[in-house]
Amino acid sequence: MEATLSATPLDPVQVQERSAPNREPPVSRRTAPWADTLFSVLAHGAAWLTLALMAGIIISLVVGAMPAIREYGLGFFTSAEWDPVQNRYGGLVMTYGTLVTSLIALVIAVPVSFGIALFLTELSPSWLRRPLGTAIELLAAVPSIVYGMWGLLVFGPILARFVQVPLQSLLGGVPYVGALVSGPPVGIGLLSAGIILAIMIIPFIASVMRDVFEVTPPMLKESAYGLGSTTWEVMFRIVLPYTKTGVVGGIMLGLGRALGETMAVTFVIGNQNQLSSPSLFEAANSITSALANEFAEAGAGLHQASLIYLGLVLFFITFVVLAFSKILLMRLRRGEGARA
């Protein structure tokens, strides 16, 4: 046995590896420097291309809207007149319709999305969690024009018969509140558009909330349950403070979708340029629906420039919303770890 071991020669490569275990890896295994350089150039180019596209969009909108900017200035936002025959234009009606419908959508969608996310993460049985979550996400894949046709042909009559008429009978004589439910109950208008938008943005907000709720460390929730907390207390005292940044981001994502939605709103908002009544049942208009209805037929001149001016206003509203969300997120991050 000893003779056999002594007769076995040692491989020179093995001797070299044992003597220098911490030597540098072979040159052939190192990443080629040109690949790193190419990747860096492509990554920087993609970032700068995005900024260049954004700048190009802003410049094109400003240039296209310049005739209307010179003609109306900031008075464009305070005028409710929109008369292509007389060549007089104001964007107050469209701006008001865009903001009100988006606000209605958020008021409805945020609580519903929170309830869906709460059920999927804390209350749902395991066999139902995945199919229900997939079904909710599939709602985001439905084309907006389908939502619009469904809202006009199916949801509108149901809303008029079972919501608008009872609300008018109940609140019609109440001061100030009655004005919000006045008008003919025909199933189209600001309220109908806001509800359709809420249905469209619920999948986005609910999916984000569910994902951020699931990243909460189980130890935190189990500790709270062990101390006797209810599910409601765990969500509001543990999960929401831990995931507040992601929750705000999901809400802002839904708001951005609501502000920019076109076809669904065009079907159910009524497309009427009037601001004579604050009623949510009255037909109204929004920036996106005005662009969809009139831009193809607008002639070169003040009409087309005013429509582009509306597009610039929508871009500015979206920018303000995103900037506000960024400021809010920074304040939330700055307050993390502070004593409540």
Side-chain angles (χ1 to χ4, degrees):
M1 185 66 178
E2 294 178 357
T4 303
L5 293 175
S6 61
T8 303
L10 294 177
D11 189 359
V13 178
Q14 295 178 356
V15 173
Q16 185 179 1
E17 290 180 353
R18 293 176 181 177
S19 61
N22 296 326
R23 74 183 192 282
E24 292 293 329
V27 179
S28 59
R29 296 183 181 177
R30 296 178 181 175
T31 305
W34 65 267
D36 290 342
T37 304
L38 178 61
F39 177 78
S40 177
V41 170
L42 292 177
H44 283 78
W48 286 108
L49 178 62
T50 304
L51 294 178
L53 290 175
M54 185 67 65
I57 292 173
I58 296 174
I59 293 173
S60 62
L61 288 176
V62 172
V63 172
M66 191 54 66
I69 295 175
R70 293 197 188 101
E71 179 71 20
Y72 303 111
L74 296 179
F76 185 80
F77 304 103
T78 59
S79 174
E81 184 178 14
W82 188 271
D83 190 355
V85 177
Q86 301 294 331
N87 212 26
R88 298 175 182 175
Y89 305 98
L92 178 61
V93 175
M94 294 78 167
T95 305
Y96 173 79
T98 299
L99 296 177
V100 170
T101 53
S102 299
L103 180 61
I104 293 174
L106 277 188
V107 169
I108 298 174
V110 171
V112 174
S113 301
F114 176 78
I116 293 173
L118 170 62
F119 177 77
L120 291 177
T121 55
E122 298 294 329
L123 303 176
S124 173
S126 57
W127 61 269
L128 181 61
R129 186 170 303 168
R130 184 179 297 274
L132 183 59
T134 304
I136 293 172
E137 292 175 352
L138 286 177
L139 290 176
V142 178
S144 60
I145 193 171
V146 175
Y147 279 109
M149 291 188 298
W150 175 80
L152 179 64
L153 300 177
V154 179
F155 180 74
I158 294 176
L159 181 71
R161 181 177 180 180
F162 297 102
V163 177
Q164 292 183 347
V165 172
L167 281 179
Q168 286 184 342
S169 301
L170 181 64
L171 303 175
V174 179
Y176 302 107
V177 179
L180 296 177
V181 296
S182 62
V186 294
I188 60 174
L190 293 172
L191 180 62
S192 179
I195 295 176
I196 295 298
L197 284 178
I199 297 173
M200 295 183 66
I201 67 176
I202 281 174
F204 296 93
I205 303 177
S207 298
V208 174
M209 284 188 176
R210 180 200 61 187
D211 292 339
V212 299
F213 287 172
E214 288 180 346
V215 303
T216 306
M219 184 180 297
L220 295 179
K221 296 191 292 186
E222 292 171 0
S223 301
Y225 283 125
L227 293 175
S229 299
T230 63
T231 303
W232 190 257
E233 292 172 338
V234 169
M235 290 300 297
F236 272 89
R237 296 184 180 182
I238 304 297
V239 177
L240 276 182
Y242 189 85
T243 61
K244 54 189 175 184
T245 302
V247 170
V248 173
I251 295 174
M252 291 300 114
L253 175 65
L255 179 58
R257 174 68 190 274
L259 288 171
E261 179 53 45
T262 303
M263 294 310 301
V265 176
T266 303
F267 271 89
V268 296
I269 199 171
N271 304 306
Q272 183 175 345
N273 297 320
Q274 63 84 28
L275 200 62
S276 58
S277 171
S279 174
L280 300 179
F281 297 168
E282 292 282 354
N285 209 348
S286 68
I287 294 177
T288 54
S289 60
L291 293 175
N293 287 322
E294 299 186 25
F295 196 82
E297 302 176 357
L302 200 57
H303 189 188
Q304 189 178 75
S306 298
L307 291 173
I308 298 176
Y309 198 2
L310 285 177
L312 183 62
V313 171
L314 182 61
F315 185 91
F316 176 75
I317 293 174
T318 307
F319 175 79
V320 170
V321 169
L322 292 178
F324 175 75
S325 65
K326 290 293 183 181
I327 295 174
L328 180 59
L329 291 176
M330 287 190 297
R331 291 179 63 89
L332 290 176
R333 291 193 185 100
R334 192 179 302 119
E336 288 179 353
R339 179 174 298 179

